[in-house]
Amino acid sequence: MAALGGAAALPRPIAQSASDSQDDLEMVVKKYTRGKPVNVKRLPDKKLRGNLTVKENLYGQSAKAAAKADKWLKPTEDGGLEPEGLEKTYRFQQTDILKEVPLSSSRNAFDMNLPVLGPYTLEYTSNGRHMLVAGRKGHLALMDMLHLDLIKEFQVRETVRDVAFLHTEDMYAVAQKKYTYVYNLHGTEIHCLKEHGKALKLQFLNKQFLLASINSFGQLHYQDVSTGEMVANYRTGLGHTDVMRVNPYNAVIGVGHSCGKVTMWKPTSVKPLVTMLCHSGSVTAVAFDKGGHLMATAGMERTIKIWDLRKYDVVNSYATRAQSMDFSQKGLLACSNGSLVEIYKDFGGHDYKLYMKHRIAKGYKVGKVSFRPYEDILGIGHSMGLTSIIVPGSGEPNFDTFVDNPYETTKQKREKEVHALLDKLPPETIMLNPNMIATVRPPKKKEKKNKKEIEEEMEEAIESAKKTEMKKKTKGRSKPSKRARKKEEEVFRAKRPFLDQYKENDGRPDKKQRVGEEVELPKALQRFAKKT
């Protein structure tokens, strides 16, 4: 069960009458209609009346098609905690929730006590099927969360700082004490990525097959895992940091720094695309929404801010601290603070309010929080092991098997990997607005012409100025000398704008030369020079 309908969810009836199903379909159709239909009978124009009638019919057909797709292709509805009366959802405990959910969902809530090799961090695959657990003292474990089976567990006997799945669960990268290593499903070391150095954070860009890392010197690396080529290596210039997150919407990397700034990077730009001053203290956590238009940042000054990346403005600010943050597929925000985990929900207009609270045992320190995709589960890695709790309404209840399939077979996984390699995007496609891809570049407002084009246009203007005929005037005003002087003036007027363009291209404006001591003046002008 991917979503909980509330504290006391009622089971769905197995069979319904035809009239009930038709009524339900009409209610869903209202959700997709475009308001009240236009009364075309009152229109006097026959052509306009006919066009509007056709359009209204098309609107009705599209609404019915969307309602049928919503009913048959998305049978599961996302739920949530529903309080009654003066109840508050953040007062519900995990024991209260486990009493109401089915047995298949309750088995996903567990607590692993691993006090020796912690603190622990965790990572889920994009379909939520597998989970990778890593202890700071070298403990690595790969688990199948669908059947709750341990696939592989081994000890690397080195410090482990972060882990990241690559394009499949068969390969994952581990940032260890000195280098970054890549292991396969059986725990065998495949590659040693020495170019990344002492990596502190890892992120994988699944559309471009790029592994991004930031090391202790503040260097950002991009490496193509399909070819092994190091695509980019940039120095951020803002010092040591271990706060890094990828935006799922446009694959732009967001890095938080100790000076309170958040910079956004792409592999084809030496300088950051955006530099935002978000906090007065150092940035402790960064998270991006699934849609890519919301960013949450936490600062050392005990403030969490929600940013709208379309206008780079603060939407909301909350006086609390967070060491780790994560957005769920349905927009819930999880924040960790010491041994407390708080979950906020958007109640409309980016108004995030407290939705749930969960406190680990006193003395435990939460290291990382991560929502499991397509399930109402929040994974918590802390200093004494791992905890998984149920968060109703956090996961997407209906998954697309062509995008992510938690139940995929070996053949489907192989086909998906081949298609992903064929559809791999180049690093140049990473930009702030991915909708600009495959569009025509708008013309510039003022394009500078080169020297040859200016000369050709100037010659044409001079020829046309020479061919202009002068009016014959009486009483000695049409003398040949005057006519020649007027022609020279016309030629000069025609040449003047092109000479100005020459100066703009050369970058040397027409300035008066300052007279200095080294300039030797003629004898007639020496008496006007200033004497020092």
Side-chain angles (χ1 to χ4, degrees):
M1 181 177 176
L4 178 66
L10 295 175
R12 177 173 291 185
I14 299 174
Q16 289 182 331
S17 62
S19 60
D20 292 342
S21 61
Q22 187 66 25
D23 294 340
D24 293 343
L25 185 62
E26 289 179 359
M27 291 178 64
V28 179
V29 167
K30 289 182 180 179
K31 186 171 71 172
Y32 293 99
T33 53
R34 302 191 178 189
K36 295 181 180 179
V38 180
N39 189 3
V40 296
K41 294 182 179 180
R42 296 183 179 181
L43 297 175
D45 192 351
K46 291 183 179 180
K47 186 175 181 181
L48 179 61
R49 187 165 63 239
N51 291 337
L52 289 177
T53 304
V54 173
K55 285 190 175 182
E56 288 295 334
N57 292 334
L58 289 175
Y59 290 156
Q61 292 175 8
S62 62
K64 287 182 180 179
K68 288 180 179 179
D70 195 3
K71 183 180 179 181
W72 300 113
L73 299 181
K74 295 183 178 181
T76 309
E77 297 178 358
D78 53 337
L81 295 177
E82 299 175 359
E84 295 180 357
L86 299 177
E87 288 181 339
K88 301 294 183 182
T89 56
Y90 58 82
R91 297 188 183 277
F92 293 161
Q93 302 295 323
Q94 285 294 307
T95 53
D96 302 330
I97 297 174
L98 290 174
K99 293 177 183 178
E100 304 297 335
V101 299
L103 185 63
S104 59
S105 297
S106 63
R107 64 197 292 265
N108 289 320
F110 56 85
D111 194 358
M112 289 186 185
N113 191 15
L114 305 168
V116 180
L117 301 175
Y120 278 83
T121 183
L122 70 156
E123 183 76 13
Y124 290 105
T125 53
S126 59
N127 59 5
R129 174 76 180 263
H130 295 85
M131 179 179 68
L132 182 62
V133 182
R136 183 78 173 181
K137 297 178 182 177
H139 179 212
L140 292 174
L142 181 63
M143 296 180 61
D144 184 355
M145 300 305 296
L146 190 63
H147 303 102
L148 293 179
D149 291 337
L150 180 64
I151 298 175
K152 184 64 181 178
E153 182 182 15
F154 60 101
Q155 170 69 260
V156 296
R157 301 181 183 277
E158 265 189 359
T159 301
V160 174
R161 296 184 180 88
D162 198 18
V163 291
F165 277 108
L166 300 187
H167 53 284
T168 61
E169 68 275 3
D170 296 339
M171 296 175 64
Y172 47 90
V174 181
Q176 295 179 205
K177 182 178 181 181
K178 195 174 181 181
Y179 301 121
T180 300
Y181 295 87
V182 177
Y183 297 93
N184 66 357
L185 188 68
H186 306 290
T188 307
E189 180 187 325
I190 301 175
H191 300 291
C192 177
L193 310 178
K194 296 184 178 181
E195 297 89 347
H196 292 258
K198 186 180 175 182
L200 302 179
K201 278 291 179 182
L202 299 175
Q203 290 289 310
F204 184 67
L205 285 61
N206 53 0
K207 299 293 183 184
Q208 292 81 13
F209 279 71
L210 294 177
L211 177 65
S213 71
I214 191 159
N215 60 18
S216 57
F217 300 105
Q219 286 179 315
L220 187 63
H221 294 80
Y222 288 89
Q223 186 164 11
D224 193 332
V225 299
S226 62
T227 61
E229 178 188 1
M230 183 61 72
V231 176
N233 176 13
Y234 302 131
R235 186 179 290 274
T236 60
L238 294 173
H240 175 94
T241 181
D242 59 350
V243 180
M244 184 177 71
R245 205 65 181 267
V246 62
N247 190 337
Y249 173 66
N250 50 18
V252 171
I253 293 288
V255 182
H257 302 277
S258 58
C259 57
K261 294 180 180 179
V262 173
T263 55
M264 299 183 187
W265 298 81
K266 69 175 183 177
T268 55
S269 177
V270 181
K271 295 183 179 180
L273 301 175
V274 178
T275 302
M276 301 170 60
L277 182 60
C278 298
H279 297 274
S280 57
S282 61
V283 179
T284 57
V286 175
F288 292 95
D289 188 22
K290 180 184 177 183
H293 299 311
L294 283 181
M295 179 181 71
T297 59
M300 191 66 77
E301 76 280 10
R302 296 174 178 267
T303 306
I304 294 177
K305 294 182 180 180
I306 309 294
W307 298 81
D308 189 347
L309 295 181
R310 289 169 290 188
K311 53 184 180 180
Y312 301 102
D313 193 13
V314 180
V315 178
N316 259 320
S317 180
Y318 306 95
T320 183
R321 188 175 63 179
Q323 294 297 325
S324 176
M325 294 191 298
D326 190 32
F327 274 103
S328 74
Q329 291 179 318
K330 303 302 287 184
L332 271 65
L333 177 63
C335 308
S336 66
N337 179 14
S339 61
L340 178 66
V341 177
E342 296 179 335
I343 300 154
Y344 294 86
K345 184 178 181 181
D346 184 8
F347 287 90
H350 305 309
D351 183 19
Y352 281 83
K353 294 181 180 178
L354 189 60
Y355 178 63
M356 280 185 65
K357 285 196 302 186
H358 183 75
R359 187 176 291 277
I360 315 295
K362 190 176 181 181
Y364 292 12
K365 186 177 180 180
V366 178
K368 183 178 180 181
V369 291
S370 180
F371 282 100
R372 181 179 167 189
Y374 304 104
E375 289 289 344
D376 293 342
I377 301 297
L378 175 65
I380 305 169
H382 48 81
S383 57
M384 301 298 286
L386 184 72
T387 301
S388 179
I389 63 173
I390 296 177
V391 182
S394 63
E396 176 64 43
N398 303 287
F399 57 86
D400 187 355
T401 55
F402 289 99
V403 178
D404 287 315
N405 186 8
Y407 306 97
E408 63 185 0
T409 60
T410 306
K411 183 178 179 181
Q412 289 173 337
K413 185 172 67 175
R414 183 172 64 247
E415 291 293 325
K416 180 184 175 182
E417 186 175 358
V418 172
H419 282 288
L421 285 167
L422 292 174
D423 298 337
K424 172 188 164 187
L425 298 176
E428 291 78 17
T429 58
I430 300 176
M431 56 184 64
L432 287 174
N433 185 12
N435 296 324
M436 297 293 292
I437 300 173
T439 58
V440 180
R441 181 178 66 85
K444 294 182 179 179
K445 293 181 179 179
K446 187 178 181 181
E447 294 185 356
K448 291 184 178 180
K449 300 175 183 178
N450 56 19
K451 191 174 181 181
K452 188 176 180 181
E453 292 176 351
I454 294 173
E455 288 178 354
E456 291 176 356
E457 291 183 3
M458 186 169 65
E459 289 176 1
E460 292 178 1
I462 291 171
E463 290 296 328
S464 61
K466 287 180 179 180
K467 291 178 181 179
T468 54
E469 295 182 359
M470 299 291 176
K471 290 183 179 180
K472 292 183 179 181
K473 298 181 180 180
T474 56
K475 295 183 181 180
R477 288 188 293 176
S478 292
K479 291 181 181 180
S481 59
K482 287 186 176 182
R483 293 169 66 89
R485 188 168 64 250
K486 286 183 178 180
K487 275 195 175 183
E488 288 179 2
E489 290 177 358
E490 289 291 332
V491 170
F492 181 74
R493 286 197 196 98
K495 288 170 63 176
R496 184 58 185 267
F498 299 102
L499 295 175
D500 293 339
Q501 291 182 18
Y502 267 128
K503 292 172 184 175
E504 289 179 4
N505 288 353
D506 293 341
R508 295 191 297 270
D510 189 12
K511 292 183 178 179
K512 292 183 180 179
Q513 187 178 6
R514 185 176 295 176
V515 179
E517 292 181 0
E518 68 277 4
V519 180
E520 187 177 354
L521 297 175
K523 288 184 179 181
L525 298 176
Q526 284 180 2
R527 62 192 181 94
F528 297 106
K530 290 183 179 180
K531 295 179 181 180
T532 57

